[in-house]
Amino acid sequence: MENPAIIHIDKLTKRFPVGNGEFTALNNVSLQFEKGEFTGLVGPSGSGKTTLLNIIGSLDTPTEGVVTVLGQSIAGLSHKQSAQLRNKHLGFIFQTYNLFPVYTVYENVEFALLLQHIPAAERRKAVLDALEWVGLTDKINSKPPQLSGGEGQRVAIARAMVKRPAIMLADEPTANLDSKNSHHILQTMKRLNEELHTTFLFATHDEKVMAYLDRIISLEDGKVVKDEQIVHAKN
Ligand SMILES: Nc1ncnc2c1ncn2[C@@H]1O[C@H](COP(=O)(O)OP(=O)(O)OP(=O)(O)O)[C@@H](O)[C@H]1O
Ligand SMILES: [Mg+2]
């Protein structure tokens, strides 16, 4: 296959126990994502965007239906296998980017690689490459409290990208950033998408993000209500 789907979602339903009953957060969702997509999930608060990202990221499991990521069914994975999938193949960017405040920028990015047994010289090169991608080479010895919000988010992107994951899952990555930093970060992610063919999947409310997306999937009350390819005018 030329461009095989790397995420398959087939009739996914997710219900959470609440009180004596259940709440249906995702209701019979079927979707496919191909390698190299730059796609956004949009929809009102509570529509199920984060729940869907968490299941694709094997941080949560389906109640019904089948979710296959890079050929592996999420529900069938042992604890260890799902940790391996996350560590090796998935990158996560969250709205609150959770850097370690007492470690340097370099150490925060390197941390993602320490779980894998990578020789020191190779690790150093990977960290420096990742910091160059996000334009933070001059801040490698700074600590997160000394950074602006945009710089902190760029460290979080470098930390997620240093493993060169096949899939990046980003939950509201620009929610805490001003317009200039949002655009800078989106341009960085788009460049990584184009150069490394990393598949990106965002959850977002941010109009600025929409302008960069190639596909927009709208959720409402846990259902897909629209799935559109975006054709950008070439200039
Ligand atoms: N662990 C849980 N237990 C019970 N209900 C949950 C749980 N996680 C999510 N929900 C509910 O599922 C629904 C979907 O939540 P989700 O976080 O996926 O929404 P969202 O689209 O990401 O919203 P937002 O835009 O506010 O981030 C919400 O109504 C939420 O309250
Ligand atoms: Mg959310």
Side-chain angles (χ1 to χ4, degrees):
M1 259 188 294
E2 177 80 352
N3 196 6
I6 62 173
I7 304 169
H8 282 269
I9 300 171
D10 190 30
K11 301 192 184 77
L12 166 64
T13 291
K14 179 67 182 178
R15 287 188 282 268
F16 290 111
V18 274
N20 295 327
E22 285 182 325
F23 180 84
T24 303
L26 292 171
N27 189 350
N28 200 28
V29 169
S30 294
L31 289 166
Q32 290 202 18
F33 300 92
E34 314 236 309
K35 183 169 160 55
E37 281 194 27
F38 204 76
T39 296
L41 302 171
V42 304
S45 180
S47 55
K49 305 181 295 294
T50 297
T51 305
L52 184 54
L53 286 185
N54 285 347
I55 292 174
I56 293 170
S58 82
L59 297 167
D60 207 343
T61 50
T63 309
E64 284 168 23
V66 179
V67 175
T68 309
V69 176
L70 296 162
Q72 301 185 72
S73 166
I74 292 302
L77 299 179
S78 67
H79 206 65
K80 193 172 165 197
Q81 286 170 323
S82 76
Q84 258 170 6
L85 175 68
R86 288 194 298 275
N87 288 339
K88 286 218 166 119
H89 302 296
L90 306 180
F92 293 90
I93 303 172
F94 299 103
Q95 177 178 351
T96 50
Y97 30 83
N98 306 324
L99 300 175
F100 296 115
V102 298
Y103 292 124
T104 64
V105 163
Y106 182 93
E107 289 162 343
N108 266 281
V109 176
E110 185 186 35
F111 183 78
L113 294 178
L114 294 178
L115 297 167
Q116 299 175 26
H117 302 282
I118 297 173
E122 203 179 306
R123 201 165 66 221
R124 182 168 174 78
K125 183 174 184 316
V127 174
L128 294 176
D129 281 351
L131 286 167
E132 199 180 324
W133 293 331
V134 298
L136 280 181
T137 304
D138 57 337
K139 299 278 185 189
I140 58 173
N141 294 316
S142 300
K143 294 188 175 164
Q146 302 166 324
L147 302 174
S148 72
E151 288 166 346
Q153 190 59 294
R154 273 144 65 195
V155 177
I157 295 173
R159 179 183 57 187
M161 284 300 301
V162 72
K163 301 178 290 181
R164 301 194 176 215
I167 301 167
M168 285 279 273
L169 302 169
D171 199 351
E172 309 274 3
T174 57
N176 287 322
L177 302 179
D178 66 21
S179 171
K180 183 162 164 266
N181 274 305
S182 296
H183 283 294
H184 186 163
I185 275 169
L186 287 160
Q187 282 157 6
T188 302
M189 294 199 274
K190 190 68 199 157
R191 189 161 48 79
L192 294 170
N193 166 251
E194 283 166 5
E195 289 175 10
L196 303 178
H197 310 293
T198 311
T199 305
F200 277 78
L201 186 55
F202 297 87
T204 189
H205 286 110
D206 185 351
E207 290 290 330
K208 291 186 290 300
V209 176
M210 319 266 179
Y212 291 83
L213 299 173
D214 299 330
R215 178 181 176 193
I216 299 180
I217 296 167
S218 306
L219 292 177
E220 266 173 40
D221 295 329
K223 289 199 181 101
V224 175
V225 292
K226 203 153 125 191
D227 183 352
E228 49 185 341
Q229 301 287 335
I230 310 298
V231 181
H232 295 284
K234 296 254 186 298
N235 49 18

